[in-house]
Structures are given as structure tokens and as C-alpha cells.
């Protein structure tokens, strides 16, 4: 079984770009998965508009694909080159805005999409309560529930791993869910689930 390219951190960006230049579309996908999110975050911070940021990243990635055959390994990092192109494209767009009557100072700061401290603490409390409740389940229920709902394993695969029938797996997961509901019932308000 082969691992997807984005799961191979030992393969550097320049090697992936060289593979793309030789026609390997999988290398392009892996490089996109690796670089596009950070490039988008950079463009969004500069422009304050998700749609415009997506356009900039798409343009920057197209430019990267065009220069791939001429890329000289060792002169610059692929990520550095890409983020510089993103920055230049954003600066160009901001200049056009200014010429069009919109001053850079009039562009609103983008809202921070990260959750606040209170939400983060609430999430941590919920995760801790759930982890403790799951740890208290009988072993077979805990295994069935964890495999099914946290690892995405199908019921027939769980049945094979546990040496039981699919119906037994369904019963184990149902009992585990009921036990969790009972264990957490008294903590509903404390975990922020009321109102």
C-alpha cells in the first residue's frame, strides 16, 4: 500500500516540484495540499477577503506550475518563492484598490477566525469529560466505539478485529453511547450544552 505524497514529509518541496515538471500530477496535488493553506492565510491577512485570497493563491500556484520545468533546486525554497509571489499579487491588488478610491486604511481588518479563550476552554473541558467517560467504559464497548466513531472503521471490520458478529458490534456501540449519555448527563450545564 502506498502512502499519499502529502503524507511523506521527507520529500521536500523542490523534489515534488521536479516530479511535477516530469508530469507527476500526484506531486502537484501533494505540493498544493502542503503549500496552499498557508498561502491562502497569508493572502487573506493581507486582503481581508476570502474570495480575493483564493484568486491570488490560484494565480500564484499557476505561476509555480509554469516555472516548474525551469526551477533550479538550491537557489530558493519553493515555499519562500510562492509566499513572495502571493505577497506581490496582494500588494498589486491593494494598489489597484487605492487607485480605485479605496484607501488601504479603509480596508477592514479581517476577523480572527480562531475561537476565543472561553470557547477554547469550553472545548477542552468537553474533550476531557468525554475522554474520561470513554475510559470508564467496559473494554469491548470502548474499543467498538473508538474504532467506529473516532477512527472511522466500518462495523464489519470491527467485527473481524473483535471476533464477533456485526450485530454484536452494533450492540456494543449502542450500549457505549447510552453509557456515555448517562455518565455525562449530570454535566450538561457545566459543559455548556444547555441554552
Amino acid at each position: 500500500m502506498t502512502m499519499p505524497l502529502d503524507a511523506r514529509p521527507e520529500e521536500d518541496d523542490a523534489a515534488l516540484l521536479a516530479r511535477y515538471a516530469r508530469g507527476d500530477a500526484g506531486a502537484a496535488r501533494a505540493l498544493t495540499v502542503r503549500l496552499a493553506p498557508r498561502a491562502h492565510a497569508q493572502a487573506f491577512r493581507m486582503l481581508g477577503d476570502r474570495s480575493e485570497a483564493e484568486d491570488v493563491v490560484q494565480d500564484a500556484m499557476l505561476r509555480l506550475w509554469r516555472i516548474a520545468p525551469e526551477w533550479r533546486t538550491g537557489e530558493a525554497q519553493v515555499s519562500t518563492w510562492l509566499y513572495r509571489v502571493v505577497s506581490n499579487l496582494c500588494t498589486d491588488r491593494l494598489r489597484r484598490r487605492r487607485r480605485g478610491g479605496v484607501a488601504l486604511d479603509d480596508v477592514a481588518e479581517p476577523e480572527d477566525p480562531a475561537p476565543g479563550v472561553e470557547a477554547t476552554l469550553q472545548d477542552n473541558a468537553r474533550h476531557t469529560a468525554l475522554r474520561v467517560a470513554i475510559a470508564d467504559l467496559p473494554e469491548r464497548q470502548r474499543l467498538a466505539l473508538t474504532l467506529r466513531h473516532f477512527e472511522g472503521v466500518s462495523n464489519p471490520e470491527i467485527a473481524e478485529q473483535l471476533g464477533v458478529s456485526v450485530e454484536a458490534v452494533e450492540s456494543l456501540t449502542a450500549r457505549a453511547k447510552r453509557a456515555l449519555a448517562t455518565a455525562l448527563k449530570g454535566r450538561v450545564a457545566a459543559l455548556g450544552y444547555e441554552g
Side-chain angles (χ1 to χ4, degrees):
M1 180 172 168
T2 61
M3 291 175 44
L5 290 172
D6 59 326
R8 290 191 231 164
E10 70 276 358
E11 189 158 25
D12 69 6
D13 298 343
L16 287 172
L17 189 60
R19 288 179 57 186
Y20 167 74
R22 292 189 304 270
D24 185 344
R29 281 191 300 278
L31 206 51
T32 301
V33 165
R34 188 179 290 176
L35 299 176
R38 185 169 163 208
H40 185 270
Q42 175 189 359
F44 179 68
R45 276 192 307 275
M46 290 182 74
L47 298 171
D49 181 282
R50 289 192 194 286
S51 177
E52 246 188 317
E54 288 170 8
D55 290 344
V56 164
V57 172
Q58 184 176 10
D59 190 8
M61 293 303 290
L62 286 172
R63 290 177 188 211
L64 179 63
W65 304 143
R66 275 189 223 118
I67 63 102
E70 291 89 37
W71 185 263
R72 292 187 298 245
T73 303
E75 288 188 19
Q77 290 186 353
V78 175
S79 59
T80 303
W81 181 92
L82 180 68
Y83 303 136
R84 183 78 239 152
V85 170
V86 167
S87 179
N88 291 341
L89 290 170
C90 289
T91 300
D92 290 345
R93 284 177 180 250
L94 292 170
R95 283 185 186 133
R96 280 194 297 268
R97 280 184 193 172
R98 259 186 269 150
R99 276 186 251 132
V102 178
L104 186 56
D105 291 336
D106 293 338
V107 177
E109 279 287 323
E111 287 187 35
D112 185 358
V117 173
E118 187 175 319
T120 301
L121 291 172
Q122 187 72 67
D123 282 347
N124 289 344
R126 289 173 180 170
H127 288 251
T128 300
L130 183 59
R131 221 177 9 260
V132 168
I134 289 173
D136 288 341
L137 290 173
E139 182 179 357
R140 291 168 63 91
Q141 287 180 21
R142 184 176 62 247
L143 281 171
L145 180 88
T146 303
L147 289 170
R148 181 73 188 112
H149 294 288
F150 294 100
E151 296 182 23
V153 179
S154 70
N155 285 349
E157 292 172 309
I158 296 170
E160 187 177 322
Q161 287 182 26
L162 296 181
V164 297
S165 68
V166 172
E167 293 79 15
V169 170
E170 291 168 355
S171 175
L172 285 168
T173 55
R175 284 185 287 163
K177 288 178 192 177
R178 282 193 303 272
L180 287 177
T182 301
L184 297 172
K185 187 175 184 174
R187 303 199 53 205
V188 170
L191 296 174
Y193 286 116
E194 283 186 345

